[in-house]
């Protein structure tokens, strides 16, 4: 059972408290460290990719004994990561991991290897695993209990194949919608992302990391990666420190508080300093201020990129020194031995102190001890039966259903009745690839043959509900991939017309059109685009369909908000599906035909125009002023239901609060419609006057509740002084005395902070 969330703060505080079993391994670690040579220590700090130890291709890869001997036997690498091209079967994984750990056992000190993988939305590199909505969709559920459960399942299925470490969650804040990893975030708001992020960590790490159901997480990508000025992946961010702390640090700070075991570094730069060379971020803030105890891993080849891309180091040796001294404990090299060789030289020359090496190795060994790897690093064949269980699939379906966000529904067009004749059209209507996006079976999610055959696309789920005879499917346009990389101005995904005219003709024979638009799959650099507008072939299809005169329901299957202002007004209904995963086809059909009542809320501001990018917490005059205000297409936190809710009795316990007094806020929510439904009650605070121009409003609490028709419920929230604070110009939190408004569901009340 997944409980409903009565108060995001209660959930959050409880998640922080349940950090669980703490065992002290210091004596064991020190004893081991004493026996280690410099080369063995540096080996522990080295991470290589799987292709460095295998031969063959695809499903036929096999350990190459000579390569394995070099990596684990000779260099004693501490960690191996990734897939070689594609998801493997549980048997294959267990076989590979066993051979790796066997090689590790045979080394002088027998230190186990820490295998790491990107389990981004489930154990997505394990065939037959349960895949969940991507983080942006999970955020839209506003249901941290559900996030926690999904993360538990992802961890269980990852560990089941013998892999104890996942490179997730992404705790970057999605405030730059062009960024090709926008969908990997929990959206634009630091509070929502912090609550969902801690839920993810708690689910994955559990309360005992040594348990066979849990894995260590990696909070990534620390920090500011998600806010490139130009929107392209791995490029520059300009973020003053007070804003870095206001918007980008809170999720990581919460993750550290939740005892997350590893952190991965931002591949970009902030204010000209690449994060991998940034001592202030990696040591002053992360270690000295937040007290992070785990280890820091670089991102892919990012030490080399300090030379090649950033030009802050003249050669790789200098880059290695910079990164290690800044605070990188493990280098995701990943495809050669340069890091290990250079670091040994640097220590011998005195350029990197031995104490820094010992510090990094202690941290890495501690994670290996806490994972229980010294006692049991071998995969357990019995655990394979935990992968892809029917109840796990149910949780995924529920998550997809709760993520579906109804953005427009003129005259109650939705839900559709099941006796209508439906035209299903658009490039995402029949695509599991669009439903899943990147990090699905392969890095780019782009290999159709690897997708399960028994999961319906949107089209198939509608056909199953209505019977094939009532449904016509005409794609209209399609999305294909460039075979080569997007090195010039053409993006990876290409939109093309297929048969728009045929779709228009079919529309005239249908009662209603379900028009599925959006994106193909992508992540990282291949997903960069130069224009947020929905590609022209899709707009053309939509305009032609809308002109045909039948009611049109637009379903958006996309990882970032593509601009749709040309087609919004004439659409009768608009449903946002995000990237809901393999159960997404079913979930969309359930929402369209009223088998579920949508309850998702947008975790970001949907822009109306390409140059009108804004977040909900900008200054009030930017959205409300008289001079060309920026009006979002759809607002952060918005989402309709098939029932209606009303808010009343907003009450504050005090008119004035002093010192550390708490403020109690109560409000009553009623279901005033005819269907049962879930509502996300959102509490915002606005600081009326502050020394740094205040946000119009900021989300401080939320609760997801279920109400039967006619039912009412009173909710109580507690606000503390810290909820009224912001980061001042001296980069420290401050709560300045003055008036504040509390806003819940259209109601407002004022109080004064003394
Ligand atoms: C990505 C990381 C990922 C790593 C390992 C990098 O390119 O930026 O998010 O964890 O690869 O696959």
């Amino acid at each position: 059972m997944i409980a409903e969330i009565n108060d995001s703060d209660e959930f959050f505080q409880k998640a922080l408290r349940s950090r669980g079993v703490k065992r002290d391994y210091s004596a064991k670690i020190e004893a081991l460290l004493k026996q280690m040579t410099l080369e063995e220590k540096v080996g522990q700090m080295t991470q290589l990719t799987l292709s460095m130890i295998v031969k063959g291709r695809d499903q036929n890869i096999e350990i190459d004994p000579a390569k394995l001997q070099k990596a684990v036997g000779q260099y004693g690498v501490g960690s191996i990561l990734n897939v070689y091209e594609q998801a493997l079967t549980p048997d294959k994984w267990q076989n590979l991991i066993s051979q790796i750990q066997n090689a590790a056992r045979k080394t002088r000190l027998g230190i186990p290897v820490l295998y790491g993988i990107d389990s981004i939305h489930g154990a997505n590199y394990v065939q037959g695993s349960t895949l969940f909505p991507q983080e942006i969709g999970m955020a839209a559920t506003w249901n941290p209990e559900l996030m926690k459960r999904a993360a538990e399942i992802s961890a269980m299925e990852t560990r089941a194949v013998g892999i104890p470490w996942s490179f997730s969650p992404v705790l970057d804040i999605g405030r730059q919608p062009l960024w090709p990893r926008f969908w990997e975030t929990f959206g634009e708001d630091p509070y929502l992302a912090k609550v969902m992020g801690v839920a993810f960590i708690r689910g994955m790490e559990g309360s005992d990391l040594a348990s066979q159901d849990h894995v260590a997480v990696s909070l990534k990508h620390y920090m500011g990666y998600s806010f490139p000025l130009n929107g392209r992946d791995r490029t520059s961010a300009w973020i003053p420190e007070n804003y870095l702390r206001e918007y980008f640090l809170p999720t990581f700070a919460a993750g550290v508080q939740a005892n997350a075991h590893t952190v991965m570094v931002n591949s970009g730069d902030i204010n000209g300093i690449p994060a991998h060379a940034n001592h202030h971020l990696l040591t002053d803030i992360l270690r000295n201020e937040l007290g992070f105890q785990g280890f820091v891993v670089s991102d892919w080849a990012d030490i080399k990129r300090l030379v090649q891309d950033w030009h802050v180091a003249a050669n790789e040796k200098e880059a290695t020194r910079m990164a290690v001294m800044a605070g990188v404990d493990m280098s995701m090299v990943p495809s050669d031995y340069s890091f290990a060789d250079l670091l040994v030289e640097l220590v011998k020359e005195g350029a990197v102190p031995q104490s820094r090496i010992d510090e990094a190795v202690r941290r890495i060994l501690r994670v290996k001890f806490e994972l229980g790897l010294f006692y049991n690093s071998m995969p357990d064949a019995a655990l394979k039966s935990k992968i892809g269980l029917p109840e796990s699939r149910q949780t995924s379906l529920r998550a997809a259903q709760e993520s579906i966000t109804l953005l427009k529904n003129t005259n109650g067009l939705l839900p559709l009745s099941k006796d209508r004749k439906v035209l299903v059209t658009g490039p995402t209507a029949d695509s599991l690839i669009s439903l899943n996006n990147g990090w699905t079976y392969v890095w780019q999610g782009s290999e159709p043959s690897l997708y399960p055959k028994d999961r319906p696309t949107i089209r198939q789920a509608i056909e199953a509900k209505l019977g094939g005879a009532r449904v016509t499917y005409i794609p209209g346009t399609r999305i294909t991939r460039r075979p080569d990389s997007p090195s010039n101005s053409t993006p990876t995904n290409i939109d093309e017309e297929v048969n728009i005219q045929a779709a228009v003709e079919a529309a005239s024979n249908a009662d209603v059109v379900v028009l599925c638009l959006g994106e193909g799959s992508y992540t990282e650099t291949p997903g960069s685009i130069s224009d947020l507008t929905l590609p022209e072939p899709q707009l053309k299809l939509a305009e032609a369909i809308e002109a045909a005169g039948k009611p049109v329901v637009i379903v958006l299957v996309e990882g970032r908000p593509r601009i749709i202002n040309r087609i919004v007004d004439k659409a009768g209904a608009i449903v946002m599906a995000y990237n809901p995963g393999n159960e997404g086809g079913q979930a969309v059909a359930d929402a369209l035909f009223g088998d579920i009542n949508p309850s998702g809320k947008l975790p970001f501001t949907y822009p109306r125009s390409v140059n009108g990018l804004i977040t909900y917490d900008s200054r009030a005059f930017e959205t409300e002023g008289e001079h060309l205000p920026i009006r979002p297409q759809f607002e952060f936190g918005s989402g309709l239901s098939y029932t209606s809710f009303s808010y009343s009795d907003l009450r504050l316990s005090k008119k004035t609060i002093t010192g550390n007094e708490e403020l109690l806020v109560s409000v009553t929510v009623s279901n005033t419609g005819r269907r049962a439904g879930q509502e996300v009650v959102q509490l915002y605070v606005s600081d009326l006057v502050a020394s740094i121009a205040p946000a119009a409003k900021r989300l401080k609490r939320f609760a997801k509740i279920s109400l039967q028709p006619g039912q009412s419920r009173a909710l109580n929230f507690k606000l503390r002084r810290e909820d009224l604070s912001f980061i001042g110009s001296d980069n420290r939190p401050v709560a300045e005395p003055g008036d504040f408004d509390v806003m819940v569901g259209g109601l407002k009340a004022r109080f004064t902070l003394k």
Side-chain angles (χ1 to χ4, degrees):
M1 256 308 275
I2 292 146
E4 70 183 19
I5 296 303
N6 294 315
D7 180 349
S8 53
D9 189 53
E10 273 166 31
F11 177 90
F12 182 70
Q13 302 299 339
K14 193 172 149 221
L16 289 187
R17 282 195 306 272
S18 58
R19 299 160 54 126
V21 186
K22 263 244 159 251
R23 301 185 183 90
D24 186 7
Y25 294 105
S26 340
K28 290 199 160 81
I29 293 168
E30 292 312 314
L32 201 51
L33 208 57
K34 275 209 188 86
Q35 301 174 59
M36 292 172 79
T37 63
L38 173 61
E39 286 73 11
E40 283 166 337
K41 289 176 183 173
V42 166
Q44 286 301 310
M45 297 169 67
T46 304
Q47 187 184 48
L48 299 182
T49 186
L50 180 60
S51 62
M52 290 290 285
I53 57 163
V54 296
K55 58 185 177 199
R57 289 203 81 113
D58 301 337
Q59 295 304 305
N60 298 320
I61 58 166
E62 269 171 30
I63 293 282
D64 179 324
K67 288 185 183 173
L68 180 64
Q69 168 55 26
K70 180 167 184 191
V72 176
Q74 186 186 333
Y75 274 87
V77 301
S79 178
I80 297 177
L81 87 149
N82 210 9
V83 284
Y84 183 47
E85 297 180 339
Q86 55 175 252
L88 300 172
T89 62
D91 282 326
K92 189 83 196 177
W93 272 124
Q94 289 207 341
N95 174 283
L96 294 177
I97 303 287
S98 305
Q99 292 186 62
I100 293 168
Q101 299 299 14
N102 263 327
R105 278 184 181 176
K106 286 189 201 131
T107 58
R108 197 173 71 89
L109 298 169
I111 301 173
V113 167
L114 177 55
Y115 203 99
I117 205 153
D118 293 280
S119 284
I120 302 293
H121 65 128
N124 41 252
Y125 282 148
V126 176
Q127 283 184 26
S129 63
T130 309
L131 297 189
F132 293 92
Q134 300 283 2
E135 271 189 34
I136 197 72
M138 292 307 299
T141 69
W142 296 60
N143 188 338
E145 279 288 353
L146 196 49
M147 179 69 262
K148 180 166 166 253
R149 184 67 199 125
E152 279 166 0
I153 294 167
S154 311
M156 178 175 86
E157 297 190 359
T158 304
R159 190 98 193 217
V161 301
I163 299 179
W165 182 23
S166 172
F167 306 128
S168 57
V170 169
L171 295 184
D172 300 314
I173 300 297
R175 295 173 82 88
Q176 164 52 291
L178 271 167
W179 187 50
R181 310 187 72 172
F182 183 83
W183 52 271
E184 293 181 53
T185 75
F186 288 119
E188 76 187 31
D189 181 65
Y191 181 72
L192 176 61
K194 170 171 118 168
V195 174
M196 298 305 276
V198 165
F200 194 117
I201 295 162
R202 255 309 46 88
M204 277 227 155
E205 293 207 340
S207 52
D208 184 1
L209 210 53
S211 124
Q212 288 300 295
D213 285 336
H214 292 285
V215 299
V217 296
S218 194
L219 314 182
K220 72 187 192 184
H221 308 75
Y222 180 76
M223 69 176 159
Y225 178 36
S226 57
F227 202 55
L229 261 183
N230 65 25
R232 306 290 167 99
D233 192 40
R234 290 177 154 77
T235 56
S236 295
W238 296 15
I239 313 174
E241 183 153 338
N242 63 320
Y243 280 1
L244 195 64
R245 288 171 176 274
E246 185 76 60
Y247 299 104
F248 300 95
L249 183 60
T251 45
F252 290 97
V256 169
Q257 242 188 308
N259 201 24
H261 279 73
T262 78
V263 164
M264 188 188 292
V265 185
N266 164 13
S267 292
D269 79 307
I270 301 171
N271 309 331
I273 306 177
H276 283 79
N278 195 329
H279 187 270
H280 184 53
L281 293 193
L282 299 182
T283 300
D284 297 344
I285 299 181
L286 185 63
R287 299 287 175 185
N288 302 343
E289 203 179 305
L290 302 183
F292 176 57
Q293 302 282 321
F295 74 81
V296 170
V297 62
S298 85
D299 202 347
W300 191 268
D302 270 312
I303 294 182
K304 293 176 192 293
R305 293 182 66 247
L306 293 177
V307 185
Q308 291 158 10
D309 292 350
W310 297 112
H311 299 259
V312 294
N315 53 52
E316 195 180 344
K317 188 162 173 184
E318 176 57 7
T320 304
R321 190 195 62 79
M322 285 170 90
V324 171
M325 292 315 292
V328 172
D329 298 310
M330 180 184 278
S331 171
M332 191 185 286
V333 189
S335 307
D336 63 38
Y337 290 91
S338 57
F339 172 80
D341 294 340
L342 294 170
L343 189 51
V344 168
E345 285 177 27
L346 285 163
V347 177
K348 288 190 174 154
E349 290 161 11
V352 170
Q354 179 71 47
S355 57
R356 173 68 192 103
I357 303 294
D358 288 348
E359 177 183 62
V361 176
R362 266 190 201 102
R363 292 168 178 163
I364 294 165
L365 292 178
R366 184 174 313 112
V367 173
K368 293 187 177 186
F369 271 108
E370 292 192 7
L371 279 164
L373 297 181
F374 279 92
Y375 310 99
N376 182 15
S377 63
M378 284 296 168
D380 176 352
L383 295 177
K384 284 183 289 186
S385 63
K386 293 187 170 184
I387 297 167
L389 295 174
E391 58 260 39
S392 302
R393 181 174 174 184
Q394 260 328 103
T395 304
S396 169
L397 175 61
R398 166 138 180 228
Q401 289 168 334
E402 286 203 23
S403 74
I404 304 284
T405 307
L406 183 57
L407 296 174
K408 179 176 179 185
N409 194 15
T410 311
N411 301 325
L413 173 58
L414 296 180
L416 301 169
S417 82
K418 290 177 190 158
D419 55 10
R420 311 287 291 276
K421 278 197 298 180
V422 180
L423 167 67
V424 177
T425 181
T428 62
D430 202 24
S431 167
L432 287 178
I433 289 182
S434 290
L435 290 172
N436 280 280
N437 212 339
W439 303 111
T440 306
Y441 309 122
V442 295
W443 176 45
Q444 291 293 313
S446 51
E447 193 43 63
S449 65
L450 296 171
Y451 281 77
K453 306 287 172 274
D454 62 345
R455 297 298 196 274
T457 61
I458 295 173
R459 166 212 179 175
Q460 290 163 338
I462 293 176
E463 283 171 353
K465 237 181 236 305
L466 269 57
R470 288 210 172 79
V471 184
T472 308
Y473 166 65
I474 311 247
T477 74
R478 71 170 163 240
I479 303 169
T480 53
R481 276 182 85 84
R482 282 169 61 103
D484 50 346
S485 66
S487 48
N488 57 26
S489 56
T490 322
T492 293
N493 286 313
I494 304 171
D495 278 75
E496 297 165 309
E497 291 182 29
V498 180
N499 48 3
I500 293 183
Q501 197 42 41
V504 171
E505 279 157 28
S508 59
N509 295 320
D511 299 322
V512 61
V513 183
V514 174
L515 173 58
C516 302
L517 304 175
E519 299 186 309
S521 66
Y522 57 88
T523 181
E524 299 188 45
T525 308
S528 288
I529 49 173
S530 52
D531 187 345
L532 206 48
T533 309
L534 190 72
E536 189 58 29
Q538 294 194 52
L539 290 172
K540 194 170 159 193
L541 168 69
E543 285 176 334
I545 291 287
E546 287 178 345
K550 294 297 169 71
V552 176
V553 180
I554 293 179
V555 178
L556 297 168
V557 185
E558 58 186 12
R560 58 194 150 192
R562 304 302 296 260
I563 303 301
I564 51 170
N565 59 34
R566 271 164 56 186
I567 57 174
V568 167
D569 290 349
K570 289 196 176 139
I574 301 181
V575 171
M576 173 55 124
Y578 314 92
N579 299 119
N582 277 333
E583 311 307 324
Q586 183 67 49
V588 168
D590 289 347
L592 295 180
F593 293 92
D595 292 325
I596 59 148
N597 188 354
S599 65
K601 306 279 177 189
L602 262 192
F604 54 85
T605 304
Y606 203 117
R608 190 181 293 265
S609 64
V610 285
N611 294 329
L613 304 183
I614 201 164
T615 49
Y616 86 93
D617 51 4
S618 30
R619 318 288 174 250
F621 75 88
E622 294 177 79
T623 51
E624 291 164 7
E626 299 202 333
H627 186 67
L628 209 61
I630 299 178
R631 301 243 189 269
Q633 189 78 65
F634 303 108
E635 305 228 346
F636 172 85
S638 65
L640 303 165
S641 165
Y642 295 151
T643 188
S644 51
F645 298 99
S646 80
Y647 287 73
S648 58
D649 296 328
L650 177 64
R651 297 217 171 95
L652 307 185
S653 60
K654 297 189 177 103
K655 279 271 148 221
T656 301
I657 59 168
T658 343
N660 283 329
E661 277 179 343
E662 289 178 339
L663 179 72
L664 301 183
V665 182
S666 61
V667 68
T668 300
V669 186
S670 313
N671 182 343
T672 50
R674 269 181 254 128
R675 278 192 67 146
Q678 284 174 290
E679 171 70 333
V680 178
V681 182
Q682 302 165 39
L683 184 156
Y684 295 88
V685 170
S686 119
D687 188 348
L688 301 194
V689 177
S691 58
I692 299 262
K697 58 177 187 175
R698 297 194 296 164
L699 180 73
K700 290 294 161 188
R701 297 284 182 271
F702 62 89
K704 187 162 193 178
I705 57 168
S706 304
L707 291 173
Q708 294 300 315
Q711 194 188 353
S712 295
R713 202 163 135 183
L715 288 132
N716 299 299
F717 299 99
K718 232 183 261 168
L719 289 178
R720 291 181 292 273
R721 193 179 176 90
E722 69 199 55
D723 296 312
L724 309 176
S725 72
F726 62 92
I727 305 295
S729 52
D730 62 354
N731 300 329
R732 292 165 197 272
V734 56
E736 292 176 348
D739 288 349
F740 291 79
D741 281 340
V742 174
M743 281 107 60
V744 189
L747 305 173
K748 193 190 266 193
R750 185 160 298 179
F751 69 93
T752 306
L753 174 71
K754 276 264 154 75

